[in-house]
Amino acid sequence: MKSTNLKKQLPKKFFLYIIVDKDACAKRGIFKVVSRIKLPNTVIQFRDKTGDKADILRDALRLKKICAKNKTVFIINDYLDIAKMVDADGLHLGQSDLPIGFASRLLGPNKIIGISCHNLAQAKQAQKSGADYIGIGPIFKTPTKPDYKPVGLKTLRSVTKNITLPVLAIGGINRENIRAIKQNNADGACVVRAVCRAKNINQAIKELLK
């Protein structure tokens, strides 16, 4: 039986890439957040920068089941071994993580590989290396990456003009500034607190997608 090409599951319209960060979810918890995300044009990434690997694996297995039930694309941040063990739909890498080609060979050709970039040169290299999408940012100042200087809308514009892969803007994006992301031709927006901390998660997603 032929395997499903998961890369085709990335939404074609402007979409929200929701980073479910364990610290950002706080007392609400990651499972409650993910179980409420059932809308189309959404992708979920699980990120845990502080937990030990055993806990991250346990959480990822449970989140994978929720996402499979809700037919939502499920991406793991950083950890290739965990992405492979839970059969996640893909993996998101940083600039200092494993090479894209190496990660793709280990995960399999149908899995989604994304990478964070901070300038056009990195985006071009990611495209050349075989990434499936690029996250460019931080566009605006964000508490998630306090040590990173925002790259701004000018960099986003430059990347969307020169890269043929799906380009997702990340960093400080909310309902007040997401229109500027769309106007600069991004294919989607990555959000953390705008969804994880929202009182009504699905309502927040609907408003952001508008």
Side-chain angles (χ1 to χ4, degrees):
M1 187 168 105
K2 291 183 179 180
S3 58
T4 303
N5 191 337
L6 294 168
K7 296 175 184 181
K8 293 181 180 178
Q9 292 187 27
L10 284 175
K12 305 303 178 188
K13 297 180 180 180
F14 185 83
F15 65 98
L16 284 184
Y17 184 105
I18 302 162
I19 299 173
V20 179
D21 181 278
K22 196 162 187 177
D23 291 337
C25 290
K27 292 182 180 180
R28 171 181 272 172
I30 54 177
F31 306 115
K32 186 174 288 187
V33 171
V34 171
S35 65
R36 292 179 181 177
I37 301 171
K38 301 177 181 180
L39 293 174
N41 291 334
T42 57
V43 173
I44 291 172
Q45 180 200 120
F46 172 43
R47 181 171 70 187
D48 184 346
K49 294 287 190 179
T50 58
D52 62 47
K53 292 291 276 294
D55 289 338
I56 295 171
L57 174 60
R58 180 201 63 213
D59 291 344
L61 283 166
R62 186 172 169 186
L63 290 173
K64 165 66 179 178
K65 290 180 180 179
I66 297 171
C67 288
K69 181 180 178 181
N70 293 341
K71 298 181 180 179
T72 308
V73 176
F74 180 56
I75 307 288
I76 294 287
N77 179 263
D78 285 347
Y79 299 117
L80 183 147
D81 52 348
I82 290 178
K84 192 169 181 66
M85 283 187 281
V86 305
D87 192 28
D89 298 323
L91 174 71
H92 186 84
L93 300 168
Q95 286 294 313
S96 60
D97 291 330
L98 294 168
I100 293 169
F102 181 78
S104 182
R105 285 196 298 274
L106 287 179
L107 275 185
N110 293 328
K111 298 294 186 178
I112 300 163
I113 305 288
I115 185 166
S116 295
C117 299
H118 311 296
N119 53 54
L120 178 58
Q122 290 177 351
K124 285 183 175 180
Q125 182 57 47
Q127 181 166 269
K128 183 179 179 181
S129 300
D132 297 301
Y133 71 87
I134 290 164
I136 186 75
I139 304 301
F140 308 109
K141 189 171 180 60
T142 171
T144 305
K145 299 283 186 180
D147 298 328
Y148 282 77
K149 182 180 178 180
V151 302
L153 293 170
K154 184 177 179 180
T155 297
L156 174 60
R157 237 179 354 258
S158 176
V159 171
T160 57
K161 284 181 180 178
N162 291 280
I163 298 296
T164 59
L165 298 176
V167 174
L168 311 181
I170 185 170
I173 298 170
N174 53 45
R175 59 184 293 181
E176 281 74 39
N177 58 32
I178 195 169
R179 187 182 299 276
I181 300 303
K182 182 70 167 65
Q183 289 171 341
N184 283 279
N185 299 317
D187 298 287
C190 300
V191 295
V192 184
R193 285 168 172 76
V195 169
C196 292
R197 296 283 180 91
K199 289 183 179 180
N200 186 316
I201 289 174
N202 273 332
Q203 184 61 34
I205 293 172
K206 288 177 181 177
E207 290 177 359
L208 287 163
L209 285 171
K210 283 182 181 179

